[in-house]
Amino acid sequence: MSVTRDCVELLEAGSRYHVHYGDRLANHLPMVLIALDKLGAGPAQLKYAFDRSTPYLQPRPGSPVDEIDNPASCRNRDDRFPSALHYYEQQLRQLGIAKCLQQELPALLPAIATAAFHGLIRTAYGIDARHLEEIAMGLAYWNLDYHELNSSTETISTSTSDIILRLTRQYPEVSLAPGNIADHMHSVTGQPGWMETPIQPKQIALENIATVAINAYLGTRDFTLLHGVTGCHALRLILPYCNDKEAALRYFWQGLVVAYLSTGPKTIRRIEIEEIKDILQRQAEITDRALRSDDDHVIKLAYSALEEFLYYGDSDYLQVFTQ
């Protein structure tokens, strides 16, 4: 078990709530509980997070449950969510986490950016917690809100950072449809000349994508691009289970590019990186900020930033709450 018993009990109590609420807003509760638990929150803090969130959530549909062989038949159908969830629960019990993910992820990867990366993120948090029901919920969410983004598959001899700069010049203003982040992202794919615009580098690596994600967030402080940072953390957690890792990286990069353009695109300012004299103190400050916060995104960003810092050793991640 990689989360505490108190966290497990609250995850199980929270499993009766739907993966989203309101107008397709993501239910962050399980992800917040896991992040807080990993950051060292005590039972009272976890219970407070649970109690402040549940009044806004909605019960998930519990029936009818049909035995299915292919969850693709349940995509974008809320009435079929129970059947998809049941399918993933069965696969996890029968195959275990690793084999189930190796089997199920290929069909979901083309929609890795669906619901502003939240299907991916919830699945990854479930993996992080080693919690089968949460993994199943994440996969079912990913499947429910399945939407692919269209773009050119042509590759070019340009770095990921330079591709972002080139696209900023090519699309200085992007007309967006009303709605949420996911709606804005789909608007990007309808821009003139989009399908003829190459966005994929010949060589692609997780670390390069992560660098673009953290630089874009620090240089804009944009809410959409916050999901690029938490999404990169999630991608790193699921990547070991992807048989075709390059495909996973390219689908995620496509989503990150589209997410960036959906911000307007905002100019990524060059920021002066503050010298951090006491790394341990800064880590403690970020942790404390998360443990005292009522903002789900602050909590998740803090957790992802600290985890990515530990993995890459890049102190940029310790700047997430500085201006």
Side-chain angles (χ1 to χ4, degrees):
M1 184 189 305
S2 64
V3 288
T4 65
R5 171 51 56 187
D6 295 292
C7 184
V8 169
E9 290 177 355
L10 291 173
L11 287 173
E12 291 171 355
S15 67
R16 66 179 180 271
Y17 296 107
H18 208 343
V19 293
H20 48 53
Y21 67 99
D23 184 16
R24 296 166 294 142
L25 298 174
N27 170 5
H28 291 94
L29 175 59
M31 296 175 278
V32 165
L33 290 172
I34 292 167
L36 286 173
D37 193 76
K38 294 279 190 176
L39 291 169
Q45 290 168 303
L46 294 173
K47 187 62 165 58
Y48 172 76
F50 185 90
D51 290 342
R52 72 171 173 79
S53 298
T54 50
Y56 304 100
L57 302 179
Q58 299 165 350
R60 63 177 171 87
S63 60
V65 175
D66 299 320
E67 296 291 339
I68 60 171
D69 296 323
N70 184 1
S73 64
C74 304
R75 290 175 182 172
N76 302 297
R77 288 190 55 180
D78 203 59
D79 62 315
R80 300 279 284 163
F81 180 82
S83 299
L85 178 61
H86 177 66
Y87 168 84
Y88 289 121
E89 289 169 338
Q90 284 186 314
Q91 297 307 305
L92 284 161
R93 284 195 296 266
Q94 293 170 8
L95 302 175
I97 293 174
K99 288 185 177 179
C100 172
L101 291 172
Q102 289 167 354
Q103 172 182 282
E104 301 301 330
L105 285 175
L108 295 172
L109 287 176
I112 201 168
T114 200
F117 302 103
H118 280 112
L120 161 70
I121 296 170
R122 185 155 179 179
T123 301
Y125 272 55
I127 294 168
D128 206 15
R130 310 302 293 177
H131 193 281
L132 295 187
E133 182 64 18
E134 263 310 297
I135 298 173
M137 281 285 215
L139 293 171
Y141 183 14
W142 197 338
N143 186 73
L144 173 65
D145 283 3
Y146 186 99
H147 293 286
E148 296 183 25
L149 296 170
N150 297 317
S151 70
S152 169
T153 59
E154 179 185 352
T155 62
I156 51 177
S157 299
T158 307
S159 70
T160 48
S161 297
D162 287 343
I163 286 172
I164 290 291
L165 292 175
R166 179 176 58 79
L167 289 172
T168 302
R169 293 191 292 268
Q170 184 172 346
Y171 293 99
E173 293 184 11
V174 176
S175 301
L176 301 177
N180 59 21
I181 293 174
D183 297 321
H184 295 166
M185 289 174 65
H186 281 284
S187 295
V188 171
T189 64
Q191 302 303 305
W194 172 252
M195 291 304 298
E196 291 72 51
T197 300
I199 64 169
Q200 294 286 352
K202 286 192 180 298
Q203 303 296 324
I204 193 164
L206 176 61
E207 185 170 4
N208 295 337
I209 297 173
T211 297
V212 170
I214 187 62
N215 288 344
Y217 176 68
L218 294 178
T220 62
R221 301 290 172 171
D222 184 84
F223 179 68
T224 294
L225 296 178
L226 178 154
H227 294 81
V229 178
T230 55
C232 268
H233 173 210
L235 174 64
R236 180 167 62 79
L237 294 177
I238 73 155
L239 207 55
Y241 305 99
C242 296
N243 295 324
D244 189 343
K245 293 177 173 55
E246 182 175 346
L249 292 170
R250 291 196 180 280
Y251 282 126
F252 185 88
W253 172 248
Q254 175 197 54
L256 184 61
V257 167
V258 171
Y260 169 63
L261 290 175
S262 78
T263 68
K266 289 184 177 177
T267 300
I268 301 175
R269 305 185 310 277
R270 185 182 299 275
I271 62 169
E272 293 186 13
I273 298 298
E274 162 200 0
E275 179 184 358
I276 303 174
K277 296 180 180 179
D278 190 331
I279 294 291
L280 291 177
Q281 180 180 345
R282 177 60 61 84
Q283 289 174 290
E285 289 170 353
I286 293 173
T287 298
D288 185 63
R289 173 107 177 231
L291 294 178
R292 290 186 293 104
S293 180
D294 285 351
D295 187 323
D296 295 346
H297 289 92
V298 166
I299 294 167
K300 290 169 60 187
L301 178 61
Y303 179 53
S304 287
L306 290 171
E307 289 295 298
E308 296 292 78
F309 168 71
L310 291 174
Y311 185 80
Y312 294 111
D314 185 348
S315 62
D316 284 4
Y317 288 102
L318 302 183
Q319 311 284 349
V320 288
F321 297 131
T322 62
Q323 295 296 331

